[in-house]
Each structure stands twice: as C-alpha cells, then as structure tokens.
Amino acid sequence: MTFGPVFLGGEIFRGSSYGSWHPLRVPRVSTVMDLARALGWLSAANYQAAPCAKPSVLSAFHDPDYLAALQRAEAEQDLPEADRAQYQLGTSSNPIFPEVYRRPATAAGGTLLATELIRDGGMAYSPAGGTHHGLPDRANGFCYLNDPVLGMLSLRQLGVRRIAYVDIDAHHPDGVAFAFTDDPEVLQISVHEERRWPFTGALDEVGVGNLYNLPVPRGFNDSEMALALERVIGPLVEGFRPDAVVLQCGADAVEEDPLSRLALSNNAHWAVVSALRPVAPRYLVLGGGGYNPWAVGRLWTGVWGTLLGAEIPERLPAEAEAVLRAVNWSGHSRARDPAEALFTTLRDAPRPGPVRDVVRERIAVLEGRFASAWV
Ligand SMILES: [Zn+2]
C-alpha cells in the first residue's frame, strides 16, 4: 500500500529528442519534473526513476520480432528498407533516433512499475506514458510501444480484474481499443477530435458493450467537456465499479496545441483527474500527446498537483517561471509570441463556451446506451 501518489520520471526524457523537425523535439516530462520540484511537489519520498523495460516484459503485448527490430534500429541507427516498411520505423512519424528503444522502453517501464506500486491500492503518475497508438507488431503515431496496454495487462497479472480506461487525448486510442475491444471487464471511454488521425473511434462503435467513443468537433470548450464529464465519464466509470482507473491525460486537446483544433483550458483536464480520483482503490494517470512545450509542462504539472491535493498557486514562484522561460520552441506559428501567462502561471484562464447541439446529441446517445446497460 502506498501512502500518497508516486511520480515515475527519468532523465532520458530530458536529453532525448525525436529529431529537429518532429513535434516531439520539445522537452515535456523533464519540464514537469523541474516545475514540480520548483513548486516543492517532488521529493525523494514521492519520486521514482522509471526502469528501462526488457523485451521479455514488453512481449506481453508486442511481437518479439518487432522488439528485436526496435533494438536493432537503436544499435545501428538504421534498418533495411523492408524492415522500415514492415515495422513503420524510420518514417517521418516514427523516426529512428539515438534512444529509439530505451526511451519508449523506459516510459513503459515507468507505467509497469506504477502498476506494481498500486497493486494493493494507491495512485501513481507516469507522464512519459500514455503512448496509446502503439500496436503489437509496429510503431504507430509517434508511439513505439503501447504502455497503457502493457500497464493494464500487468494489472491483470497482479490480480486486478475490472479496469476503467479513460482517454482525453485529442486523438482516438486505436492501439488500446485494438487490445481490449473484446474484453467485457475493461470499460473504455475516449473523448477525441472528430475527423482527425487515426480516424477511428466512431460514436456508434460499441465493442462488446463497454466501448464509449465521444468524437467532438473543432473548438470543443471547457463547458462542453464539463457536460461530458458530468453525464458520461463520471457516471459510466462509477457505474462500472472498477478495481482500477487508468486515465490517459494527453495534453493536445488544449487551445495552444499545434496538432489539434480543440479549445480546452487545462482546467478541463484537471477536473477529470480530480473527479476520477476517488472512484476506485487504484488510480494510474498517464501522459500522452501534447506538443506545445509550455502548455504541456504546465498541464501535466497541474495533474500532479491535483493528485497531491496541492493548491495551484495564482502566480508561479520565480524558480518555476525560470523553468518555463528556459524552454525553447520554434518552427510553428503557435511558438511565436507566446502569452505571458504561459510563463507566469500554471492554471489557464477557463475557456467556457456554448454547449453545441452536436455535442449535446452525442452525449445523449452515449447516456442512452449505458442507462440501458446497467439498470
Ligand atoms: Zn494525441
């Protein structure tokens, strides 16, 4: 039994990059670690370094041939053309970079260690995790491994049966859906931008009855997310009576993100983190997408603060502000003239708005489905 939430991090996330043109050229987890330390939220008591997972462990979900190719890609910094095509390695989305095995294997190692730490109850946070597109036999959408799937399989091994998986990344978690579509003891809920890659996750997909997709239109705002939380996410997860909740908290659904067209503030994510905290005896929170380094650093630090039950300061102390000002980002229009608040605060101004009919109608469809499922 752990006594408070545990943070799984690592220095490999500070020094590695997917390459100078890739959206993941920016630091993310290291910014969260530095901000959390500057705020007094991280110490030897609640921080653990994520271990690098071995292929024998990763093969719980991934094909040994693919894992061998990933290790070979790291060792040789190259792969034959046929392997590149088969495993989708060395593409513009999934480049071969110096830590191409060790970095995702450390993210997965963090998520796997997190599941062991909460085996008998507790909370853990693996912000390097949440790589929800990874497939058994190939890389997919910046994800070389699928740590949410590995983590859920590990929970199963540890005797945890009913798992509620909630995903609020801007993209649909196709890799997780692939793994658990036929599993009646995994509830899957995803809120994601409609008509965006990977183009899966339709409203009418039901799996074996435990799959709930809420595709949302451009400009999705805090008021709309609040309704989704109140009417769908909250009641569904509570009604499922899970033994564990796994939340993928991708930070690419905020207004500042360069890869999506949604318009949330980080308050929306923190509200979900907070609402799901008391629902099950075990709570695992993961990272995910997020490509504006200031926005993702602030959002994920606030997730940690929310798990700790800490007060979010109105203005950041100088040391924390310096962390954000030291992060460089260029090569995107949203990198130009960043708002001053991105450096001086953690909490965004709320972004409420009208709840559009299309959002209301889709929420009603999902509500209708679970009302008939569990009563
Ligand atoms: Zn995403």
Side-chain angles (χ1 to χ4, degrees):
M1 184 79 170
T2 51
F3 294 98
V6 182
F7 185 115
L8 287 306
E11 290 301 318
I12 195 168
F13 307 109
R14 186 187 304 280
S16 62
S17 161
Y18 277 42
S20 53
W21 297 105
H22 196 283
L24 285 177
R25 63 187 175 278
V26 296
R28 307 188 315 158
V29 173
S30 55
T31 307
V32 178
M33 289 161 52
D34 295 346
L35 276 177
R37 287 208 175 94
L39 287 159
W41 292 352
L42 211 56
S43 67
N46 61 19
Y47 175 84
Q48 289 211 34
C52 182
K54 293 185 168 58
S56 57
V57 175
L58 300 171
S59 64
F61 180 59
H62 295 283
D63 286 1
D65 288 352
Y66 167 58
L67 295 169
L70 193 56
Q71 287 189 299
R72 212 158 55 238
E74 177 165 299
E76 296 169 13
Q77 289 299 296
D78 196 10
L79 277 182
E81 194 53 48
D83 287 348
R84 287 172 174 253
Q86 179 177 354
Y87 301 119
Q88 288 298 295
L89 293 171
T91 65
S92 57
S93 282
N94 317 312
I96 296 172
F97 60 97
E99 303 84 1
V100 69
Y101 174 80
R102 278 172 292 153
R103 175 169 158 156
T106 304
T111 297
L112 288 164
L113 177 56
T115 62
E116 290 168 21
L117 294 170
I118 62 170
R119 182 186 65 184
D120 299 321
M123 292 184 276
Y125 182 36
S126 176
T131 55
H132 57 175
H133 299 304
L135 293 168
D137 56 354
R138 64 184 191 274
N140 188 35
F142 314 168
C143 302
Y144 299 86
L145 302 170
N146 195 315
D147 70 282
V149 170
L150 289 162
M152 290 157 75
L153 293 173
S154 169
L155 285 170
R156 279 285 168 73
Q157 283 287 316
L158 295 165
V160 178
R161 292 309 312 169
R162 293 175 72 79
I163 303 172
Y165 175 80
V166 179
D167 192 310
I168 55 173
D169 191 283
H171 302 90
H172 175 252
D174 52 343
V176 180
F178 172 85
F180 291 108
T181 288
D182 297 327
D183 191 325
E185 290 188 302
V186 172
L187 169 71
Q188 294 185 61
I189 305 172
S190 172
V191 180
H192 50 266
E193 186 175 351
E194 65 182 353
R195 290 194 283 277
R196 179 163 295 286
W197 188 92
F199 306 110
T200 48
L203 180 70
D204 60 3
E205 281 174 29
V206 298
V208 287
N210 292 336
L211 194 60
Y212 291 82
N213 289 319
L214 180 61
V216 297
R218 282 181 176 193
F220 186 62
N221 61 50
D222 284 2
S223 307
E224 291 172 325
M225 184 58 138
L227 191 70
L229 177 60
E230 180 197 321
R231 298 280 180 83
V232 176
I233 300 172
L236 260 176
V237 175
E238 281 172 31
F240 189 70
R241 287 181 285 109
D243 301 312
V245 172
V246 177
L247 172 64
Q248 198 272 19
C249 203
D252 48 8
V254 294
E255 170 83 31
E256 293 84 0
D257 194 85
L259 262 60
S260 83
R261 303 293 290 270
L262 305 182
L264 298 176
S265 77
N266 56 23
N267 296 278
H269 290 69
W270 300 345
V272 176
V273 172
S274 182
L276 296 181
R277 202 172 80 154
V279 177
R282 299 166 194 83
Y283 193 20
L284 171 59
V285 181
L286 308 173
Y291 307 96
N292 177 321
W294 304 303
V296 70
R298 293 163 70 250
L299 191 157
W300 286 352
T301 303
V303 168
W304 178 237
T306 303
L307 291 175
L308 289 173
E311 180 122 4
I312 308 278
E314 281 303 310
R315 195 184 199 292
L316 286 172
E319 198 186 332
E321 182 178 334
V323 168
L324 287 164
R325 290 198 187 276
V327 171
N328 289 309
W329 187 40
S330 60
H332 192 277
S333 59
R334 287 192 170 173
R336 286 197 288 273
D337 301 322
E340 186 67 7
L342 287 173
F343 303 112
T344 58
T345 68
L346 211 55
R347 183 189 295 282
D348 294 329
R351 292 171 188 144
V355 178
R356 288 164 288 175
D357 286 346
V358 62
V359 173
R360 226 179 259 286
E361 286 158 14
R362 290 174 189 173
I363 286 174
V365 168
L366 297 180
E367 271 189 300
R369 267 185 54 206
F370 74 80
S372 58
W374 288 329
V375 292

